Amino acid sequence: MSEELDLSNGVKRPVFLKVISVLSFVYLGFQSIKLFLGLIEGKLNSDELIEKKVQLTKIFRMFDDGSEQVTESIRTTGLILEQTNDSYWLVQILTLIIVAIGVSSVMKMFNGYRIGFHFYIIYSLISVGSIYLYLSPNLVSMPSLLMDVLISGLFIFMYSRNLHWMK
């Protein structure tokens, strides 16, 4: 059906809403796959954790320019890996909750319900802030946090441009 109509007022679904909803569904789909693979892989044992650290060290050493930054990056990445692995089930449960809120909020907005927009704001805040529940604040890099906040803010803004269509 080429013309999707909202039954209550007969107004077509905005094309921009379709586009950003598809982008959101693709991202949430990748998050779901990552969650599923994480559940299949399971928590790393001590030998697997050491092997992962060795692999990460080899990757970082490829970019080694003799500076202290590479050594610090290796140390920080190792700590992040350890803390994430120590909180394995918390991370998996949080990811499941976040993806569920994200999917339901985008579906609500796609179907024309304004409450989905409010759920999307909650989803964005939880997805940005949840990392502090299992990682030490000193391990969260400011550039990645700012990028997450900017992308979330951009999508909130883009969805807000379609609020006139939602009831």
Side-chain angles (χ1 to χ4, degrees):
M1 185 159 131
S2 63
E3 290 191 16
E4 300 173 48
L5 301 177
D6 177 15
L7 297 178
S8 64
N9 61 9
V11 179
K12 289 186 211 178
R13 179 179 290 118
V15 174
F16 187 55
L17 178 61
K18 291 178 193 178
V19 171
I20 57 178
S21 295
V22 167
L23 289 173
S24 295
F25 282 131
V26 167
Y27 174 76
L28 290 164
F30 282 127
Q31 288 297 101
S32 299
I33 291 169
K34 182 179 167 186
L35 172 66
F36 181 70
L37 293 176
L39 290 172
I40 289 173
E41 197 174 279
K43 186 176 179 176
L44 300 174
N45 62 34
S46 59
D47 293 335
E48 293 170 330
L49 190 59
I50 291 170
E51 179 59 33
K52 281 262 194 206
K53 285 183 177 181
V54 168
Q55 290 172 355
L56 288 169
T57 302
K58 287 178 183 176
I59 292 169
F60 275 105
R61 289 291 177 209
M62 289 173 23
F63 301 101
D64 193 357
D65 59 355
S67 69
E68 187 65 30
Q69 289 177 330
V70 173
T71 306
E72 184 60 26
S73 295
I74 292 170
R75 188 189 72 75
T76 302
T77 304
L79 288 172
I80 289 171
L81 186 61
E82 286 176 14
Q83 287 185 13
T84 303
N85 194 54
D86 290 344
S87 304
Y88 174 79
W89 288 108
L90 175 63
V91 172
Q92 299 305 316
I93 291 169
L94 279 173
T95 304
L96 178 65
I97 291 169
I98 290 167
V99 167
I101 293 171
V103 168
S104 65
S105 65
V106 174
M107 285 180 66
K108 287 281 188 195
M109 286 188 288
F110 189 77
N111 290 322
Y113 296 101
R114 190 176 290 228
I115 190 75
F117 178 71
H118 302 292
F119 282 140
Y120 191 82
I121 293 172
I122 293 168
Y123 153 76
S124 296
L125 292 172
I126 292 172
S127 67
V128 168
S130 66
I131 196 166
Y132 288 104
L133 294 176
Y134 57 90
L135 278 185
S136 300
N138 61 326
L139 295 178
V140 178
S141 77
M142 191 56 70
S144 68
L145 183 64
L146 286 174
M147 185 59 79
D148 290 346
V149 168
L150 285 173
I151 291 172
S152 293
L154 177 64
F155 270 80
I156 289 169
F157 174 75
M158 289 189 300
Y159 278 118
S160 74
R161 302 296 87 206
N162 294 284
L163 282 173
H164 66 277
W165 178 79
M166 298 177 206
K167 56 184 172 183

